[in-house]
Amino acid sequence: MKRCALLLTLSLTPLAHAQMTMPGMNHGTPMNGSLETLKGRAFDRAFLSMMIVHHQGAVDMSKTVLNNVKDTQVKRWTADILSVQQKEIGQMNTWLKALGGMDKSAQNGMMSEMTGMITTLKANKDSDRGLVEGMLPHHASAIDMASLALQKSSDARVLGLARDIIRTQANEMYVYRQWLIKRGL
């Protein structure tokens, strides 16, 4: 059953990503395009460098709204994002040391992808809705990158992280959409 859900997630990821956009984020494939040409250790280093910046974007989004969210469920999600993604950032930084450190080109490319997210979130008068709507495309892009990692990584830790990102963030996208639907959004 879990395998079927993962395969379904992987098959729907490009469609989901194409349909959800967030102002301030480039939703083309430049970030994945730079990864697609790499393999092995170089891929793992670039992927981790990009995913650290991507996770930090989610942490920054959560911190931006932390004191303004009102919905109890959104507060829990915000706390979960902070906890899980900060822990994963620490793990990825440790793994990167053994791979030669941060890939500055990949890091900078992802930073340009993340530009505008916080500004867009701050502009939304409803912090609950802003975070939930913003995390949908954010998670979709993480799933895209993680799907590529499952195809190209040569590191068991990266493969496990990619699998976990897909599982966790696809499930979160599902509950975020359910939350929005219940509110007629």
Side-chain angles (χ1 to χ4, degrees), residues 19-33:
Q19 291 178 342
M20 291 182 281
T21 60
M22 179 179 183
M25 264 182 88
N26 179 353
H27 292 283
T29 57
M31 66 178 174
N32 289 345

Side-chain angles (χ1 to χ4, degrees), residues 87-117:
K87 178 183 172 199
E88 288 179 356
I89 289 169
Q91 289 174 325
M92 290 186 285
N93 276 316
T94 299
W95 300 342
L96 261 178
K97 288 178 187 172
L99 294 172
M102 187 68 71
D103 178 327
K104 294 293 185 188
S105 176
Q107 177 189 32
N108 291 337
M110 181 53 69
M111 282 185 184
S112 70
E113 290 288 321
M114 298 289 111
T115 301
M117 285 190 325

Side-chain angles (χ1 to χ4, degrees), residues 79-144:
D80 287 347
I81 290 167
L82 290 168
S83 172
V84 171
Q85 300 221 355
Q86 286 176 324
K87 178 183 172 199
E88 288 179 356
I89 289 169
Q91 289 174 325
M92 290 186 285
N93 276 316
T94 299
W95 300 342
L96 261 178
K97 288 178 187 172
L99 294 172
M102 187 68 71
D103 178 327
K104 294 293 185 188
S105 176
Q107 177 189 32
N108 291 337
M110 181 53 69
M111 282 185 184
S112 70
E113 290 288 321
M114 298 289 111
T115 301
M117 285 190 325
I118 302 299
T119 303
T120 301
L121 185 58
K122 285 180 179 178
N124 194 321
K125 293 179 179 21
D126 181 344
S127 293
D128 295 295
R129 179 179 178 181
L131 181 72
V132 173
E133 287 179 340
M135 291 311 294
L136 286 167
H138 190 269
H139 278 9
S141 65
I143 291 170
D144 284 348

